């Protein structure tokens, strides 16, 4: 058995141990209703067992990280598979740190799913160990990527704390305009999570089934001598094509649910690499998220926020507010170092400029500015409670767009990260 297969095994073990820890955290909260012993003692005991399981999962995850490093002879953060597995590991690290501070089992119910969703997202990318491309052959890869991911991991825990606060504070029985707006905001946040889950699930499912659709088009290019040459370019989908790339012909397409050809063509103004495929993925993700949300609503027979809210009943508002704020306060300086300062130094060495308005650079700056505003409003303007919680939730949505949207939808100098 080679090192790479060993590392993959440890990641798989970590994933399932995280799932077990999540279930134990849920049991620590919900099981107290049926426990014969003191409810607080039940929560404390099972919360401790869940924490130990989380530590074991994290140890397996760390083992995956270093065995993969040994196989590739470079830190495994050079592509989307490696970066997302590392981010998942750091989210678990951030969770363990915050849990040791506050000892709140309900935090595991909300923070752990973020970690294993990120790991599941990593699984949709090729997992083979790849040699470093020239742009990444620098010691700054270790410094820049690891610190940026660590900062984002604490933002994820801040998001979990903020969402818990909103579920605890929003009145689902209220009928005023403000209360209705807050209810819709929580539902949209949960829908966003389900869209991300649908995105991961749809790609993973169709990849596993071997689905493929191929389109081709002729492209005329002019070489250095001024001579024109016509090449055929192929575009491969792993999701059934609801929309096909503009100006292409179907080469291969497996029928799906009676659909033997794409429903429509991507508009001509959508330019850039794989624009049609990316639009197709977005459509599938939104449709899948809406289906999951609708199914959950039918099962719960009430808004999802109202169905989940009892989990955080009994939690102190101030404790939840403090968890969210402290996690972001820890993550912000780390993110500042990794995503801005170290990134600019590396950009100067690699490309000869500190800043170039690359999409990833712009969105890293937007993320940094957003959390700067969050801390300013929190510390100077007294924005606590719901206002702070909403900002922590919106901020992490910005982070996820930076990670998913910019890497996979917007082309730029960081596009190699999606390989």
């Amino acid at each position: 058995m080679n090192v790479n297969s060993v590392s993959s095994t440890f990641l798989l073990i970590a994933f399932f141990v995280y799932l077990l820890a999540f279930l134990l955290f849920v049991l620590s909260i919900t099981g107290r209703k049926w426990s014969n012993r003191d409810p607080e003692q039940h929560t404390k005991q099972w919360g401790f067992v869940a924490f130990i399981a989380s530590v074991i999962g994290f140890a397996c995850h760390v083992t995956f990280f270093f065995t993969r490093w040994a196989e590739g002879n470079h830190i495994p953060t050079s592509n989307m598979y490696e970066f997302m597995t590392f981010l998942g590991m750091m989210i678990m690290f951030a969770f363990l740190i915050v849990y040791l501070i506050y000892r709140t089992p309900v935090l595991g119910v909300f923070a752990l799913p973020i970690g294993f969703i990120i790991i599941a997202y990593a699984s949709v990318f090729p997992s083979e160990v790849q040699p470093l491309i020239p742009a990444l052959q620098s010691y700054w890869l270790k410094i820049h990527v690891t610190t940026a991911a660590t900062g984002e991991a604490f933002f994820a825990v801040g998001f979990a704390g903020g969402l818990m606060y909103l579920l605890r504070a929003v009145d689902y029985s209220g009928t005023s305009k403000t209360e209705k707006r807050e209810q819709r905001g929580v539902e949209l946040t949960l829908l966003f999570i389900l869209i991300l889950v649908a995105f991961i699930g749809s790609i993973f499912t169709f990849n596993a089934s071997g689905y493929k659709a191929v389109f081709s088009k002729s492209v005329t290019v002019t070489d250095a001598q001024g001579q024109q040459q016509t090449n055929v370019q192929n575009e491969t989908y792993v999701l059934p094509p609801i929309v096909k790339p503009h100006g292409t012909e179907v080469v291969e397409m497996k029928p799906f649910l009676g659909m033997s050809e794409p429903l429509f063509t991507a508009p001509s103004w959508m330019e850039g690499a794989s624009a049609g495929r990316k639009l197709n993925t977005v459509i599938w993700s939104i449709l899948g998220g809406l289906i999951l949300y609708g199914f959950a609503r039918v099962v719960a027979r009430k808004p999802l926020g109202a169905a989940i809210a009892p989990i955080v009943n009994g939690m102190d508002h101030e404790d939840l507010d403090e968890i969210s704020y402290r996690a972001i306060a820890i993550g912000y300086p780390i993110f500042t170092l990794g995503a801005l300062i170290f990134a600019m130094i590396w950009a100067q060495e690699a490309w000869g400029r500190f800043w170039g308005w690359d999409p990833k650079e712009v969105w890293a700056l937007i993320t940094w500015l957003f959390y700067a505003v969050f801390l300013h409003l929190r510390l100077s303007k007294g924005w606590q409670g719901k206002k702070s919680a909403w900002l922590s939730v919106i901020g992490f949505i910005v982070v996820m767009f930076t990670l998913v949207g910019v890497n996979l939808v917007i082309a730029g100098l960081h596009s190699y990260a999606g390989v």
Side-chain angles (χ1 to χ4, degrees):
M1 182 179 290
N2 60 38
V3 178
N4 188 36
S5 64
V6 170
S7 67
S8 299
T9 300
F10 274 107
L11 181 63
L12 187 63
I13 293 172
F15 179 79
F16 284 108
V17 174
Y18 289 152
L19 284 175
L20 174 63
F22 166 71
L23 294 175
L24 291 172
F25 275 122
V26 172
L27 178 63
S28 73
I29 301 301
T30 60
R32 60 190 177 189
K33 297 179 181 178
W34 304 281
S35 177
N36 293 325
R37 69 185 82 171
D38 178 56
E40 186 174 337
Q41 182 65 27
H42 172 91
T43 298
K44 183 177 181 181
Q45 179 180 349
W46 283 101
F48 177 75
V49 174
F51 173 74
I52 295 301
S54 301
V55 172
I56 294 172
F58 180 71
C60 294
H61 205 153
V62 171
T63 304
F64 154 79
F65 178 76
F66 283 105
T67 51
R68 187 174 176 91
W69 191 338
E71 167 68 12
N73 293 318
H74 61 77
I75 188 169
T77 56
S78 61
N79 55 43
M80 283 296 285
Y81 173 79
E82 293 178 343
F83 178 80
M84 285 299 169
T85 54
F86 178 76
L87 178 60
M89 184 175 76
M90 297 315 296
I91 288 174
M92 292 305 304
F93 171 75
F95 159 71
L96 294 175
I97 294 297
V98 176
Y99 183 88
L100 287 173
I101 297 173
Y102 293 99
R103 308 283 179 156
T104 305
V106 72
L107 179 62
V109 178
F110 288 87
L112 261 69
I114 301 174
F116 55 70
I117 285 174
I118 292 294
I119 298 171
Y121 175 43
S123 69
V124 307
F125 297 100
S127 61
E128 295 80 11
V129 175
Q130 301 169 350
L132 283 179
I133 65 174
L136 298 179
Q137 294 174 4
S138 170
Y139 60 89
W140 284 107
L141 175 65
K142 302 182 184 71
I143 302 172
H144 158 57
V145 178
T146 55
T147 48
T150 303
E152 291 166 344
F154 279 98
F155 293 160
V157 177
F159 163 79
L163 182 57
M164 286 191 296
Y165 184 95
L166 293 174
L167 290 169
R168 180 72 177 86
V170 170
D171 182 8
Y172 268 88
S173 62
T175 56
S176 69
K177 288 185 178 180
T178 300
E179 289 166 333
K180 288 291 186 182
R181 185 167 60 248
E182 291 175 345
Q183 294 165 17
R184 287 193 294 269
V186 172
E187 293 300 294
L188 285 173
T189 301
L190 296 174
L191 175 60
F192 168 78
I193 296 172
L194 290 176
I195 288 174
L196 182 60
V197 171
F199 165 68
I200 297 167
S202 59
I203 293 181
F204 185 83
T205 301
F206 283 105
N207 252 332
S209 67
Y211 185 90
K212 184 172 68 173
V214 182
F215 302 89
S216 69
K217 67 177 178 179
S218 299
V219 178
T220 302
V221 296
T222 304
D223 59 22
Q225 287 73 36
Q227 296 181 346
Q228 291 187 337
Q229 191 174 11
T230 300
N231 298 324
V232 176
Q233 293 183 351
N234 288 335
E235 182 76 43
T236 302
Y237 285 29
V238 296
L239 296 176
I242 297 174
V243 53
K244 74 170 186 175
H246 181 77
T248 62
E249 299 294 332
V250 178
V251 175
E252 175 186 351
M253 178 177 169
K254 296 181 180 178
F256 176 76
L257 296 179
M259 185 175 65
S260 58
E261 60 182 26
L263 299 182
F264 62 94
T265 302
S268 59
W269 52 263
M270 287 194 67
E271 300 178 352
S274 305
R277 176 176 57 82
K278 292 168 184 175
L279 175 60
N280 189 68
T281 302
V282 169
I283 293 173
W284 266 103
S285 301
I286 293 174
L287 288 176
L290 290 172
I291 291 171
L292 288 177
Y293 179 81
F295 177 77
R297 282 293 301 266
V298 170
V299 172
R301 293 186 294 179
K302 63 176 70 174
L304 292 191
I308 299 172
I311 296 176
V312 295
N313 282 347
M315 288 292 300
D316 185 83
H317 290 75
E318 293 184 0
D319 288 345
L320 295 175
D321 182 57
E322 182 75 7
I323 288 171
S324 179
Y325 163 65
R326 289 298 178 190
I328 292 173
I330 294 171
Y332 183 73
I334 301 173
F335 182 82
T336 301
L337 284 173
L340 288 184
I341 297 175
F342 295 155
M344 289 190 291
I345 295 173
W346 190 8
Q348 172 63 26
E349 288 192 3
W351 300 315
R353 86 298 188 273
F354 288 103
W355 190 264
W357 298 105
D358 179 71
K360 192 65 174 286
E361 295 172 346
V362 172
W363 278 94
L365 177 62
I366 290 172
T367 302
W368 181 81
L369 289 173
F370 185 93
Y371 282 104
V373 171
F374 168 89
L375 293 173
H376 170 73
L377 293 174
R378 172 93 187 193
L379 299 174
S380 300
K381 303 296 183 181
W383 278 36
Q384 299 183 1
K386 287 183 181 179
K387 292 180 179 179
S388 178
W390 280 119
L391 289 178
S392 67
V393 167
I394 295 170
F396 190 65
I397 292 175
V398 174
V399 170
M400 290 308 299
F401 179 79
T402 303
L403 292 175
V404 180
V406 175
N407 273 340
L408 301 181
V409 177
I410 304 175
L413 291 173
H414 291 76
S415 294
Y416 54 75
V419 176

